[in-house]
Amino acid sequence: MSIYADVVRYRDLFANLFRRDFQARYKGSALGVLWSLANPLLLMAIYVVVFSVLLRVGGDIPHYALYVLTGLAPWLFFSTSLQMAARSMLDNANLIRKTRFPRQLVPLSSVATQLVTFGVMLVVLVVLNVALIPEVRSTAWLGVVLAALFVPLVGGVAVAVSAANVVFRDVEHLVSAVLLPWFFLTPVLYSFETLPGVDEHETLVDVLRWANPLTPPIEALRAPLWAGEWPAAGDVLYLVVAAAASLAIGAWVFTRADDRIATDL
C-alpha cells in the first residue's frame, strides 16, 4: 500500500504530471473543464428521450433526468479513468525509460485529471438536485462524502489496469470491450425495483446488484443526492470494503509488474 504514499512523498512531481495532463486535455479550449459537462448532459438528454419517453423504462422514476445524471457522474469518472489509465504507461514510455521515479504516479495522474471533471459534475448535481428536489437539501452533503470514498476505488483499479497493460497489451482492448456491457448491467438508466419481471427473477437481480462492484456505490450515492435519504448500510459497507480491496489489488498488481515496466515499454 506504500505505493500510494508516494503521491504525497513526490507531490511536486505528481503536481507536474497532473498539470501536464490537464493542460494537454484542455489545451486551446476556451471553456476548459466546462466542456466535460457537455458529454454527460448530452448523454442524459439522449437516455431520457429513449428510455423514458420512447421505451418508458423510467416512467415510474421521479425526476428521471436527475436520476440518470446522478448515476452517470460516477460511471463516467470510473470508465474514463480506466480508459486513460490503461494507456498511460505506454503514452509516457519515453519519460519512464529515461527517468527513475514512482511509475504509479502516471496512472494516478490520469485519475486526478478525471477527478476534476467528476468534481465539477458533482457540484452541478448538488446544485440541481437541491434546487429541484427539496428532500435532498438535508442529505446532499453526505453524497459528497460518499463520492470521496469512491475515488480510491477508481484509483486502485486504474493502477492495476495500467500495470497489467504493460505486460499484457490486450488489457486496454479488454477494458474497452467490457465497459459497454458493464454500463448496461449497472443501474444508471433504470432501477432494479421498477424493472418488469423483477419478482420472477429475484435471484438474478440479487446477483446483478451485489456482483457488480459499481452498483452498491452508485446506489449509495443516489440515496442522499437524489432520494433525499440516508444510504443503506449494506451499500456504504460495500463501498468502503470495495475501495480498500481495490487499493490492495492495485498495489499488488503494480508491485508484481513494476520490475517489468521499464523493460517492456
Side-chain angles (χ1 to χ4, degrees), residues 46-71:
I46 294 172
Y47 291 144
V48 167
V49 170
V50 174
F51 287 90
S52 182
V53 178
L54 298 179
L55 298 179
R56 298 183 180 178
V57 172
D60 297 330
I61 302 177
H63 304 288
Y64 181 66
L66 295 178
Y67 179 89
V68 171
L69 194 59
T70 305

Side-chain angles (χ1 to χ4, degrees), residues 88-98 265:
S88 61
M89 294 286 195
L90 302 180
D91 292 341
N92 289 274
N94 290 334
L95 176 63
I96 292 173
R97 283 195 294 261
K98 293 177 181 178
L265 284 174

Side-chain angles (χ1 to χ4, degrees), residues 75-164:
W75 168 261
L76 289 176
F77 173 48
F78 174 79
S79 60
T80 308
S81 294
L82 253 62
Q83 288 176 309
M84 290 187 63
R87 283 208 54 85
S88 61
M89 294 286 195
L90 302 180
D91 292 341
N92 289 274
N94 290 334
L95 176 63
I96 292 173
R97 283 195 294 261
K98 293 177 181 178
T99 309
R100 180 68 183 180
F101 67 96
R103 301 177 183 111
Q104 68 272 23
L105 298 184
V106 173
L108 289 175
S109 173
S110 299
V111 174
T113 302
Q114 295 306 311
L115 181 58
V116 175
T117 301
F118 183 47
V120 173
M121 291 174 62
L122 196 63
V123 170
V124 172
L125 266 175
V126 170
V127 171
L128 288 177
N129 289 3
V130 166
L132 300 175
I133 309 176
E135 297 82 0
V136 170
R137 292 168 187 170
S138 61
T139 59
W141 65 270
L142 184 56
V144 178
V145 175
L146 294 171
L149 289 175
F150 187 65
V151 175
L153 188 156
V154 176
V157 177
V159 169
V161 166
S162 66

Side-chain angles (χ1 to χ4, degrees), residues 22 25-26 29-42 116-117 119-121 123-124:
F22 185 82
R25 182 174 177 82
Y26 297 107
S29 171
L31 296 180
V33 72
L34 293 179
W35 279 114
S36 62
L37 295 176
N39 185 37
L41 291 176
L42 178 60
V116 175
T117 301
V120 173
M121 291 174 62
V123 170
V124 172

